[in-house]
Amino acid sequence: MNADEQAAPGFAPRAVAVLAATAVAAVAVDQWVKHLSTENLDPGEPVRVLGGLIYLSLLRNSGAAFSFGSDYTWVFPLITLVVVGVIVWLATKLRSVPWAVALGLVLGGALGNLGDRLFRAPGPFQGHVVDMISVFAPYGERFAVFNIADSCLTVGVCLAVLLELTGRQRDGSRITKQKPAAEPRAEEQA
């Protein structure tokens, strides 16, 4: 292990603060957009934006993406609580700001949709998530209708995968590939 690979003990307060601020910002923006959507969008009249690239179509989703698991709405809050627990556990050794952003986006996205599951109709642990962004066509005709929380989750997971693939660790270290020692040439062996 080289010096870049040695893990620093504990967590960095700055990284945890970035994680928390990112999560709070994600939840705040998500809930604000959901509020604006439920107050201003008519479920039967999508709003065309950017020449039809985006449609604002108010939907309430009892399931996950593409309405998967609609009959098991109560499971999603439980999964979210596990995700939150894992992120809190990861934060105990978090020293990387890029990882803090990734985990903060995932946490904020998870909490944004959890709020819908807990506090929206038809009731606690069965609430329907407010979705409103549809790309290329209204009502998810070409792609799932999503919200800001879903976007935060997706970007956070993609960033985490990118950080893993580039060797960046949550503790702030970086795994570097060591070049194998060169074989001595034949004339050097003699």
Side-chain angles (χ1 to χ4, degrees):
M1 222 184 233
N2 63 28
D4 287 338
E5 294 173 322
Q6 294 179 359
F11 67 91
R14 178 175 177 230
V16 174
V18 168
L19 185 155
T22 302
V24 167
V27 171
V29 171
D30 175 65
Q31 292 301 306
W32 179 64
V33 170
K34 287 175 180 174
H35 171 75
L36 290 175
S37 297
T38 57
E39 293 293 318
N40 299 304
L41 292 176
D42 182 350
E45 297 179 26
V47 176
R48 185 176 173 175
V49 181
L50 299 174
L53 178 64
I54 296 173
Y55 287 83
L56 300 178
S57 305
L58 183 61
L59 296 174
R60 296 180 192 266
N61 185 359
S62 62
F66 302 100
S67 296
F68 172 76
S70 296
D71 295 334
Y72 302 99
T73 301
W74 59 272
V75 171
F76 299 113
L78 300 177
I79 293 169
T80 300
L81 293 174
V82 170
V83 169
V84 169
V86 168
I87 291 174
V88 168
W89 176 75
L90 290 172
T92 63
K93 295 188 177 163
L94 185 65
R95 301 187 64 77
S96 166
V97 170
W99 268 104
V101 171
L103 293 173
L105 287 169
V106 172
L107 180 60
L111 291 174
N113 284 339
L114 177 64
D116 287 5
R117 299 280 182 209
L118 294 177
F119 303 115
R120 291 197 190 270
F125 285 89
Q126 296 179 346
H128 295 181
V129 173
V130 174
D131 290 328
M132 76 292 298
I133 303 168
S134 182
V135 293
F136 308 123
Y139 302 114
E141 294 168 7
R142 301 236 169 91
F143 190 78
V145 181
F146 56 96
N147 58 39
I148 300 299
D150 298 334
S151 298
C152 290
L153 280 163
T154 301
V155 171
V157 168
C158 289
L159 180 56
V161 168
L162 180 65
L163 291 169
E164 278 293 331
L165 291 175
T166 58
R168 288 168 168 72
Q169 302 297 296
R170 287 173 291 285
D171 65 7
S173 64
R174 187 168 183 180
I175 296 174
T176 56
K177 292 182 181 179
Q178 295 182 1
K179 295 179 183 176
E183 297 280 330
R185 289 187 275 178
E187 62 266 4
E188 293 176 356
Q189 291 180 353

